[in-house]
């Protein structure tokens, strides 16, 4: 990054929002949701930028570009349930006995094919993080996992 974009930084702001805030535009296609939708997005984006400037005042006046995605963006481009930005709908039925072969495991019935991220554990950021660890562990085996853990912890000790 430093070589390709010297003196440039980037930042991603993530915030929660209710799907209901956007439901009145849910049946309208992308790019055709109207001025009130764009105004609402601008209002939310400016609120997030105000929080950024309050937290990191040195960036005020230096933001060159911003874009705000909404739950409708998530539905349009990721086909996520109800616009959730971190995966599928998390329901208790995921853990029913009929689903035990594919939930919370990196293993599949196809030899050499492993799952990682939220597909290997649970939806959302933490689920994806642990699922990544489970997937790596399945591929690396016990000894490889111990080596990975040793190197990871070693990086923090320095």
């Amino acid at each position: 990054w430093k070589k390709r974009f010297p003196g440039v930084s980037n930042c991603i702001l993530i915030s929660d929002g209710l799907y209901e805030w956007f439901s009145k535009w849910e049946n309208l296609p992308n790019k055709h949701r109207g001025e009130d939708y764009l105004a609402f997005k601008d209002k939310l984006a400016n609120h997030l930028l105000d929080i950024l400037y309050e937290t990191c005042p040195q960036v005020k006046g230096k933001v060159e570009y911003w874009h705000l995605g909404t739950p409708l963006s998530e539905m349009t481009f990721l086909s996520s349930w109800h616009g959730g930005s971190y995966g599928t709908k998390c329901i208790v039925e995921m853990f029913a006995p009929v689903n035990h072969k594919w939930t919370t495991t990196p293993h599949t019935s196809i030899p050499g094919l492993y799952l990682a991220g939220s597909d290997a554990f649970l939806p959302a950021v933490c689920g994806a993080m642990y699922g990544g660890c489970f997937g790596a562990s399945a591929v690396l085996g016990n000894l490889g996992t111990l080596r990975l853990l040793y190197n990871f912890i070693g990086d923090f000790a320095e």
Side-chain angles (χ1 to χ4, degrees):
W1 182 266
K2 288 181 179 182
K3 289 180 183 178
R4 291 177 55 205
F5 304 101
V8 176
S9 296
N10 64 8
C11 177
I12 298 173
L13 304 175
I14 299 175
S15 178
D16 291 327
L18 298 176
Y19 177 80
E20 290 74 21
W21 297 349
F22 304 92
S23 63
K24 70 179 181 177
W25 299 290
E26 69 185 345
N27 294 318
L28 298 172
N30 186 40
K31 306 280 187 191
H32 299 283
R33 295 189 177 126
E35 290 301 316
D36 56 334
Y37 176 74
L38 296 175
F40 188 60
K41 284 179 59 173
D42 283 349
K43 181 180 176 182
L44 288 174
N46 285 316
H47 177 69
L48 290 171
L49 288 169
D50 287 343
I51 293 169
L52 172 67
Y53 301 148
E54 183 180 316
T55 307
C56 303
Q58 67 273 23
V59 302
K60 190 166 188 168
K62 296 180 181 177
V63 174
E64 295 180 13
Y65 174 81
W66 61 263
H67 178 81
L68 180 87
T70 70
L72 299 180
S73 308
E74 301 291 331
M75 289 176 62
T76 299
F77 300 111
L78 301 176
S79 297
S80 65
W81 180 82
H82 232 234
S85 58
Y86 294 117
T88 58
K89 182 179 180 182
C90 192
I91 55 176
V92 174
E93 288 80 10
M94 289 174 62
F95 305 103
V98 70
N99 297 326
H100 81 279
K101 289 186 177 182
W102 67 269
T103 55
T104 64
T105 180
H107 300 283
T108 70
S109 59
I110 301 169
L113 178 65
Y114 299 92
L115 300 175
S118 60
D119 293 324
F121 192 54
L122 295 171
V125 173
C126 289
M129 180 183 65
Y130 286 118
C133 294
F134 289 165
S137 179
V139 170
L140 295 172
N142 292 338
L143 187 57
T145 300
L146 289 173
R147 283 197 316 262
L148 179 66
L149 182 61
Y150 176 79
N151 288 319
F152 181 74
I153 291 173
D155 285 343
F156 283 106
E158 292 178 359

